[in-house]
Amino acid sequence: MENTKAVDDAIKSRHAVRGFLSKPVPQKVIKEILDVARFAPSNSNTQPWRVYVVAGERRKALGNAIVAAHQAQPGSHTAQYRHFPEPLHGDFLARQNNFAADYYGTLGIDRTDLAARHAQLGRNFIFFGAPTGLIFTIDRDLEKGSWLDYGMFLQSIMIAARSRGIDSCPQISFAKYHLVIRDHLPIAKHEVVVCGMSLGYADPSVKVNDLRMARESLEAFASFFGYENETPLVCNPVSEKIHEQA
């Protein structure tokens, strides 16, 4: 039971941290975290992940270059894949809107203040001040199943880090600046930049680090069959209507 609680606590207490102390994470500890995460499952043991870890002056140089591109060429960089459909719809859109309201509200930024939102987005690219940054890539020929495997690898990193008192923030925003990233890291042509991640120790003085995102209840997403009391999932009629029209 003690081990169960430790694992549960690491999963439940993990959240996206967007303000870090300058305290470095020793390379030895980073290696320990990745050495644990490599045991994440993947179909037929294909292990589709590759990680580039940056710290010190290399991290600063990479972050500054992306910030410069973000400021000088807004909208001119695109990721090599689509994360969401366009437009996002139904409950997914509602949750995204709720996230934005909570996130920018905590920062004191009006959602209509595009300049302030753009500036806040730029903080992603300096890894929110974290001492360690990670860039993740995948072979461009792999399909959706391998991307599912990749998610389990990323989660494993964050849980292994959390169990050591180290915080993280997974960041899809890095994906669209893959051309800039390639100028600083030896990423092969056949690799697609999946995302980045900030890793370090949370700064308790940063208010946004207190933000916790709401999660749907178990009953909202899980159905149980073959039990004494079956609880079929009730489909969202709005989402169903959208899918019928698609």
Side-chain angles (χ1 to χ4, degrees):
M1 291 298 293
E2 184 176 341
N3 288 342
T4 299
K5 186 178 186 306
V7 173
D8 289 353
D9 287 348
I11 293 172
K12 289 183 176 181
S13 65
R14 184 220 62 83
H15 66 284
V17 165
R18 297 180 174 88
F20 292 85
L21 298 172
S22 59
K23 177 183 176 182
V25 180
Q27 185 185 39
K28 176 179 179 292
V29 177
I30 300 295
K31 287 183 174 181
E32 286 178 2
I33 292 169
L34 294 176
D35 196 44
V36 170
R38 69 190 175 94
F39 288 94
S42 59
N43 191 359
S44 303
N45 198 33
T46 46
Q47 304 174 63
W49 38 78
R50 183 165 179 80
V51 189
Y52 298 84
V53 185
V54 291
E57 292 304 315
R58 292 293 293 271
R59 180 195 61 80
K60 290 180 182 178
L62 173 60
N64 290 339
I66 301 176
V67 168
H70 174 68
Q71 293 175 339
Q73 304 165 314
S76 63
H77 293 263
T78 57
Q80 295 169 279
Y81 67 95
R82 287 175 59 187
H83 193 82
F84 293 134
E86 296 180 5
L88 195 59
H89 58 72
D91 290 342
F92 311 116
L93 178 60
R95 292 178 194 130
Q96 184 186 60
N97 287 337
N98 289 338
F99 163 79
D102 291 344
Y103 178 50
Y104 291 115
T106 301
L107 292 166
I109 298 174
D110 191 294
R111 287 190 65 188
T112 61
D113 189 342
L114 299 183
R117 289 177 61 178
H118 185 76
Q120 178 61 28
L121 178 59
R123 286 193 50 75
N124 277 272
F125 309 125
I126 58 170
F127 298 95
F128 293 112
T132 304
L134 298 91
I135 299 295
F136 300 92
T137 68
I138 189 171
D139 190 290
R140 69 169 70 246
D141 292 333
L142 294 176
E143 297 287 353
K144 290 180 181 178
S146 293
W147 288 71
L148 292 174
D149 296 340
Y150 216 121
M152 291 186 280
F153 175 64
L154 294 171
Q155 173 79 337
S156 296
I157 290 174
M158 292 184 283
I159 298 307
R162 187 73 193 113
S163 72
R164 290 165 171 77
I166 297 169
D167 297 291
S168 60
C169 184
Q171 295 155 268
I172 195 69
S173 51
F174 280 97
K176 68 179 181 178
Y177 289 100
H178 61 96
L179 293 177
V180 179
I181 294 171
R182 291 174 193 279
D183 288 338
H184 291 260
L185 297 173
I187 297 174
K189 290 183 179 180
H190 63 83
E191 294 176 57
V192 171
V193 173
V194 175
C195 65
M197 184 183 292
S198 298
L199 209 63
Y201 300 95
D203 184 343
S205 70
V206 177
K207 185 178 179 181
V208 74
N209 285 342
D210 296 329
L211 180 63
R212 299 293 185 276
M213 294 298 160
R215 294 293 194 266
E216 295 292 332
S217 67
L218 174 64
E219 293 75 18
F221 65 84
S223 298
F224 296 88
F225 302 93
Y227 294 89
E228 183 177 346
N229 296 312
E230 292 192 0
T231 56
L233 184 67
V234 178
C235 294
N236 183 320
V238 175
S239 297
E240 286 295 298
K241 184 176 181 181
I242 290 172
H243 284 295
E244 289 172 3
Q245 293 173 344

